[in-house]
Amino acid sequence: MNLERQTLNAKSGTPNVLVTGVTGYIGGRLVPRLLEAGAQVRCMVRDASRLQGRLWREDVELAVGDVLQPESLEDALRGISVAYYLVHSLGAGSGFSERDLVGARNFGSAAKKAGVKRIIYLGGLGDPDKSLSAHLRSRHDTGDALRESGVPVTEFRAGVIVGSGSLSFEMIRYLTERVPVMICPRWVYTRIQPIAVRNVLDYLSAALSMPAIAGRTIEIGGADVITYGEMLTFYAEVRGLRRWLLPVPVLTPKLSSYWVHLVTPIPASIAKPLIAGLRNEIIVRDGVARLLFPDIQLLDYRTAVKLALEKLQADKVETAWSDALSTSQPNLAPVTLTSQEGMIIEYRQIAIDAPVEAIFRAFTGLGGARGWLYMNWAWQLRGTADRLSGGVGLRRGRRDADSVRVGEALDFWRVEAVEPNRLMRLRAEMKVPGKAWLQFEVKTQDHDHPLLTQTAFFAPKGLLGLAYWYLLYPIHSLIFGGMIRSLAKRAAAIA
């Protein structure tokens, strides 16, 4: 597959650093770090459209490639000196370890052929001499498969990464938020050494300028060695929640994975291999990382949790959350309820036979004297209840009947983002047990008519937040469904 050459910035020179897994949790955060350090970066993705909305998109070169398709790797690796291998197939379900091995061997072989000098890989902690879980063993085996190529590999091994989006941390997070009394098997007393995502990025980015560590395996962890039980209770302390742990003698990984599947959005197929690894002690067994990287200041677990939770603050919502929900397939269901990055997300989409400008005017004209187009009495009732409880209510209205500006009030919302003829995102300022956003976006690519996407985001706080969402979801579903249909009619009328 040919390289999609899109060097769209003013930098000169050919990219000499390749980053794989850039649509993932670590890769997407590593790229801006490398750019800040002055690296010329090429990103390898299976679908270039998935990078829409990334602030660094214009500053990198793209290569379309897939580690499971060896023929697609040649152009992606051409001219590369250092390649970051951040691919992991756990999210793809059963058979992930086999896919990881095949992908790593394909990539290593292509890297050797292309003359790549070094591969930097992020794997998992765990004593290789012990009986590791399939997930942890797969992380080690992937590193070995990369080394088979003969290209020197710098392998970092980390345990639980503390940051929104990490499966291990999100599992802890959901369980703590939603279950006040947790039935816990013996693995909650297993020692671990969680590490803040920013420290992981510190190590990965620093390694780029340290060719001397080629061929080394470096274990990394945070400032604290604690147990899984302490992860749960410390997280609860940071969130101001009271939680109790109830130990039980037997609770198999399979049963635990079903419980996680029930309580959290993480499916059992992913939860089971993660939970099976909780019986393994995952701590740093040597101090090599501290000697090689003395300037990296490791964060303690509580601080890392506070930083991770900042993404749920009003000014931390990322448009990438909704980008992952967009689709160019017109036959997909128009309503989807899902969870992602700690959010409950409900999005609706409808094709509208009207110009983009008319659709944009329709949704940016919501609120104020015009109201919310459907069941306006329910919006008024919600505003009255909010006012009586000490909230802002609907009295603020809107500044102008037809135009909005970022930062201004719109009834009990705050306008958080506006992109002309494309998007408006509102942040809720009414009293709710959590944080909420409502986003409208119009798309034209690959559709006969423009597609309006209406997305509601809700980050619940504890059980009260979860109960609030699901108890009111029937009425919310009715209102949001009617609103998007009314927006379509209004857009047609404007046109």
Side-chain angles (χ1 to χ4, degrees):
M1 192 173 294
N2 292 329
L3 181 66
E4 182 183 345
R5 296 196 175 276
Q6 298 186 35
T7 307
L8 301 175
N9 62 346
K11 293 180 180 180
S12 61
T14 301
N16 60 1
V17 178
L18 179 73
V19 183
T20 64
V22 292
T23 58
Y25 165 62
I26 293 293
R29 301 187 186 196
L30 177 63
V31 170
R33 285 283 197 108
L34 298 177
L35 291 172
E36 289 172 8
Q40 299 287 319
V41 179
R42 180 184 297 158
C43 296
M44 189 181 84
V45 290
R46 287 178 292 180
D47 180 1
S49 67
R50 292 195 62 194
L51 294 184
Q52 291 177 0
R54 304 292 180 120
L55 296 178
W56 42 262
R57 168 65 182 82
E58 303 282 319
D59 299 319
V60 301
E61 185 178 278
L62 293 188
V64 177
D66 185 342
V67 296
L68 296 179
Q69 298 178 7
E71 68 279 2
S72 71
L73 301 177
E74 181 179 350
D75 286 338
L77 286 161
R78 183 175 292 119
I80 294 299
S81 297
V82 179
Y84 284 88
Y85 192 80
L86 304 173
V87 178
H88 190 10
S89 301
L90 179 61
S94 61
F96 67 88
S97 58
E98 291 79 8
R99 285 190 293 273
D100 278 344
L101 283 177
V102 171
R105 289 183 177 124
N106 289 342
F107 189 83
S109 177
K112 179 69 173 179
K113 183 178 179 181
V116 173
K117 295 181 174 60
R118 183 160 54 116
I119 296 173
I120 300 175
Y121 164 64
L122 179 62
L125 277 175
D127 187 345
D129 296 328
K130 298 290 180 63
S131 177
L132 295 177
S133 70
H135 172 235
L136 294 177
R137 179 61 64 187
S138 172
R139 296 285 74 210
H140 289 202
D141 290 346
T142 299
D144 293 338
L146 290 170
R147 280 184 283 269
E148 288 175 7
S149 66
V151 178
V153 176
T154 299
E155 179 179 352
F156 289 99
R157 290 180 176 175
V160 174
I161 298 177
V162 184
S164 181
S166 163
L167 273 175
S168 299
F169 177 66
E170 289 299 296
M171 184 169 66
I172 294 292
R173 176 181 175 180
Y174 284 121
L175 288 172
T176 309
E177 289 279 351
R178 299 181 175 185
V179 186
V181 179
M182 286 173 275
I183 299 174
C184 301
R186 286 175 294 181
W187 54 255
V188 298
Y189 303 110
T190 302
R191 292 196 308 161
I192 56 171
Q193 194 166 353
I195 182 170
V197 61
R198 62 184 56 199
N199 283 152
V200 174
L201 297 173
D202 288 338
Y203 282 116
L204 290 172
S205 56
L208 183 61
S209 59
M210 299 176 63
I213 63 173
R216 302 196 67 164
T217 297
I218 303 167
E219 297 182 337
I220 57 176
D224 295 333
V225 175
I226 57 179
T227 66
Y228 281 102
E230 288 172 325
M231 282 190 71
L232 294 164
T233 55
F234 292 173
Y235 177 94
E237 290 176 12
V238 171
R239 288 285 282 151
L241 302 169
R242 297 189 67 184
R243 295 294 182 262
W244 294 268
L245 306 183
L246 181 62
V248 294
V250 177
L251 190 60
T252 67
K254 186 174 183 179
L255 290 175
S256 297
S257 68
Y258 291 150
W259 171 245
V260 170
H261 179 91
L262 177 66
V263 175
T264 81
I266 301 172
S269 60
I270 295 177
K272 184 177 178 181
L274 285 177
I275 292 172
L278 302 185
R279 60 183 171 82
N280 293 113
E281 195 169 72
I282 48 176
I283 60 175
V284 174
R285 295 171 299 125
D286 59 52
V288 171
R290 304 303 301 131
L291 295 175
L292 295 174
F293 303 90
D295 295 332
I296 294 178
Q297 301 298 312
L298 297 178
L299 299 179
D300 62 85
Y301 176 70
R302 286 183 176 88
T303 300
V305 168
K306 292 176 182 177
L307 293 171
L309 291 173
E310 285 183 359
K311 293 192 76 174
L312 293 185
Q313 299 304 314
D315 60 352
K316 296 294 183 179
V317 177
E318 301 175 8
T319 56
W321 292 347
S322 59
D323 289 342
L325 299 175
S326 63
T327 176
S328 60
Q329 301 301 321
N331 60 342
L332 288 183
V335 183
T336 300
L337 180 64
T338 184
S339 294
Q340 179 178 325
E341 296 252 351
M343 294 284 187
I344 298 175
I345 302 170
E346 190 236 43
Y347 78 102
R348 297 169 181 269
Q349 56 187 13
I350 186 172
I352 303 177
D353 186 11
V356 168
E357 295 80 5
I359 301 171
F360 181 76
R361 280 184 58 192
F363 63 70
T364 55
L366 285 168
R370 187 176 289 119
W372 294 85
L373 301 185
Y374 186 79
M375 290 181 64
N376 206 51
W377 62 267
W379 291 87
Q380 293 287 346
L381 184 62
R382 180 66 176 87
T384 299
D386 188 62
R387 190 72 177 178
L388 291 174
S389 63
V392 297
L394 290 178
R395 292 184 182 179
R396 298 185 303 182
R398 54 179 296 151
R399 175 189 57 84
D400 183 271
D402 295 307
S403 67
V404 290
R405 296 173 181 168
V406 172
E408 69 181 10
L410 199 166
D411 287 342
F412 45 41
W413 304 90
R414 180 75 58 180
V415 180
E416 188 173 77
V418 178
E419 297 180 23
N421 294 327
R422 196 183 85 83
L423 177 144
M424 177 177 73
R425 185 170 64 249
L426 306 175
R427 184 182 76 237
E429 292 192 338
M430 77 286 281
K431 288 184 173 294
V432 290
K435 297 184 182 296
W437 296 262
L438 183 61
Q439 179 171 291
F440 303 89
E441 185 174 9
V442 59
K443 300 176 183 290
T444 58
Q445 188 175 7
D446 298 330
H447 297 282
D448 294 332
H449 301 298
L451 184 71
L452 172 62
T453 301
Q454 173 186 290
T455 311
F457 302 92
F458 184 60
K461 182 176 181 180
L463 283 176
L464 181 60
L466 199 63
Y468 171 87
W469 172 269
Y470 285 109
L471 287 175
L472 293 184
Y473 182 71
I475 186 69
H476 284 167
S477 178
L478 183 63
I479 291 172
F480 290 148
M483 184 165 63
I484 194 169
R485 293 191 299 271
S486 298
L487 282 171
K489 294 177 182 177
R490 174 164 167 74
I494 292 174

